[in-house]
């Protein structure tokens, strides 16, 4: 694992189905994001590796601000630096 990665998380991004391809392309441009699944209803499953919780929160907000995104829901969160 990259030593700069402190947080591993997964989330469901709910997008308008008619914007699915555009949003998937925009998500792939984010650093640390991998799309692991998506379906025609507009659900996109994303894994995100971030340096810390602040970066995770900021990235989730940026995703939520994309045109056509209806919601971003955190499903899993693991902090490598937690004591």
């Amino acid at each position: 694992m990259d030593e700069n990665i402190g947080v591993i998380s997964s989330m469901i991004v709910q997008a308008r189905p008619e914007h699915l391809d555009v949003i998937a392309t925009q998500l792939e441009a984010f650093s640390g994001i991998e799309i692991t699944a998506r379906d025609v209803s507009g659900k996109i499953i994303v894994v995100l590796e971030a340096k810390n919780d602040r970066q995770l929160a900021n990235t989730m907000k940026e995703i939520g601000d994309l045109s056509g995104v209806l919601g971003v829901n955190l499903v899993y969160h693991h902090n490598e630096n937690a004591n």
Side-chain angles (χ1 to χ4, degrees), residues 28-49:
E28 290 170 342
F30 279 82
S31 177
I33 282 188
E34 177 184 348
I35 295 175
T36 59
R38 63 189 231 182
D39 70 23
V40 295
S41 72
K43 290 187 175 95
I44 305 170
I45 309 301
V46 172
V47 172
L48 171 64
E49 295 179 342

Side-chain angles (χ1 to χ4, degrees), residues 9-36:
S9 61
S10 66
M11 59 196 81
I12 298 174
V13 178
Q14 180 65 54
R16 294 189 179 275
E18 64 270 20
H19 296 264
L20 185 62
D21 291 334
V22 171
I23 292 170
T25 299
Q26 291 173 324
L27 289 173
E28 290 170 342
F30 279 82
S31 177
I33 282 188
E34 177 184 348
I35 295 175
T36 59

